[in-house]
Amino acid sequence: MTDLGLRPLVPTLHQLAESAVYDDRNNRLLYCDIPDKAIHAVDLATGETQVWRFPTVVGSFGLTESGRFVVALRDSVVIFDPETGDSRTLAEIEADMPDTRLNDGKVGPDGCFWVGSMDANRQPVCALYRVAPDGTVEKKVDGLMVSNGLAFSPDGRTMFHSDSRGPWIDRWSLDPATGEISDRKRIAVLDDTIGRPDGGATDAEGCYWSAGVSGAKLNRFSPEGELLASYDVPAAAPTMPAFGGPDMKTLFLTSLRDGRTEEQLQRWPLTGSVFIGTSPVAGSPVSRFRDV
């Protein structure tokens, strides 16, 4: 089995690093620390770091065509300018539900921000939403406990989506012109050993990479749900993979430290790190939010 060569990108051990996003224009990795209410950036050439802080937890974010960020806060989606610090609310989501917050999100090939919610009590009351550049919000999937794992195929016509507490991975057909989804198919039902599905990404071959948050694994599935590879990673709870670099073969992986047992932290002392390594296959680029 190929060694991914994962090693810490920065020395910080985060409580909950998530939403790894590669910025191809600036050759940097961005990611959030959810409870720290922050988005971090690491320049991959110089190692220089930046951090931006927000008024609430940051569930996820994406890049925009204008160079800004589209950010999922607790119950709103905002457009944030990293140069000026200016922020404007684009949409409010589940603001009337005190036990939920926005979670995993990703910009789709339709130029919209897809983001789901999660419930603190693990009840199936959450949903997946599509937020358009004009602020229009559409509920796309409901009955979720922890919406997660969003990723889109290289041709933009397939969407992968998971529920970490399902714990399952679904595949949908997507019309990138309209944002309509159809032909839902459950391609995998997982367990704690192989790893409940957390964040996801796709590669150039159309395969789906899922962070096995409960299993210290990074799992690669075919589009039909066949487990093609299961990589051991140096963190008890990996949370999201992402691809980047000039050839898209640089692999990034965020992880979670909060709530891990002392035994887990002794076995995987780097838990909470943001890792960098090398993928055996190129990744699929992620779209930008069409705010211009």
Side-chain angles (χ1 to χ4, degrees):
M1 185 176 293
T2 303
D3 180 5
L4 300 174
L6 292 168
R7 60 198 184 280
L9 176 62
V10 290
T12 307
L13 297 177
H14 296 278
Q15 290 306 301
L16 177 46
E18 262 283 11
S19 197
V21 176
Y22 175 65
D23 178 359
D24 60 313
R25 295 180 186 174
N26 298 290
N27 190 34
R28 62 183 180 178
L29 180 76
L30 299 104
Y31 61 93
C32 65
D33 185 320
I34 293 178
D36 198 37
K37 307 174 184 177
I39 292 176
H40 297 258
V42 183
D43 186 303
L44 298 176
T46 67
E48 181 182 353
T49 61
Q50 287 179 277
V51 62
W52 299 272
R53 305 218 172 256
F54 294 83
T56 74
V57 294
V58 179
S60 57
F61 66 99
L63 304 178
T64 78
E65 291 287 359
S66 70
R68 296 178 291 179
F69 304 159
V70 54
V71 185
L73 301 180
R74 174 175 292 279
D75 54 17
S76 65
V77 174
V78 305
I79 300 295
F80 176 78
D81 189 329
E83 297 299 324
T84 65
D86 291 340
S87 179
R88 69 174 177 87
T89 300
L90 184 65
E92 292 189 346
I93 299 175
E94 296 185 7
D96 59 342
M97 299 173 66
D99 291 333
T100 71
R101 69 162 174 83
L102 295 181
N103 193 45
D104 180 71
K106 190 164 287 185
V107 180
D110 57 348
C112 295
F113 187 56
W114 295 69
V115 62
S117 56
M118 62 175 287
D119 179 64
N121 302 311
R122 299 177 184 173
Q123 296 301 304
V125 297
C126 296
L128 174 67
Y129 301 89
R130 176 182 182 258
V131 184
D134 66 359
T136 302
V137 178
E138 291 180 81
K139 182 185 287 189
K140 291 293 193 177
V141 185
D142 58 14
L144 306 172
M145 288 183 278
V146 181
S147 180
N148 226 323
L150 283 166
F152 301 88
S153 62
D155 67 1
R157 305 198 67 84
T158 299
M159 181 181 80
F160 296 94
H161 176 232
S162 70
D163 188 326
S164 295
R165 288 291 169 183
W168 45 253
I169 301 169
D170 282 355
R171 188 191 73 213
W172 294 80
S173 295
L174 170 71
D175 182 343
T178 64
E180 292 301 314
I181 55 174
S182 59
D183 303 323
R184 183 181 192 175
K185 182 179 181 181
R186 185 139 303 164
I187 62 170
V189 177
L190 305 174
D191 58 30
D192 282 340
T193 301
I194 194 64
R196 286 183 288 104
D198 205 297
T202 53
D203 63 33
E205 297 177 359
C207 295
Y208 178 70
W209 295 62
S210 173
V213 67
S214 59
K217 303 280 190 182
L218 180 57
N219 299 309
R220 183 183 185 230
F221 295 91
S222 76
E224 295 299 324
E226 179 187 356
L227 182 61
L228 301 176
S230 184
Y231 300 99
D232 292 326
V233 300
T239 54
M240 184 175 180
F243 297 92
D247 61 0
M248 291 297 287
K249 285 190 172 182
T250 301
L251 179 66
F252 304 100
L253 184 67
T254 54
S255 65
L256 160 67
R257 190 172 183 87
D258 188 42
R260 301 314 97 187
T261 66
E262 190 60 37
E263 180 182 358
Q264 287 176 313
L265 295 180
Q266 287 180 359
R267 182 175 178 184
W268 294 284
L270 295 176
T271 295
S273 295
V274 176
F275 298 96
I276 183 172
T278 303
S279 170
V281 61
S284 176
V286 177
S287 302
R288 285 178 177 260
F289 189 71
R290 293 180 188 154
D291 62 336
V292 293

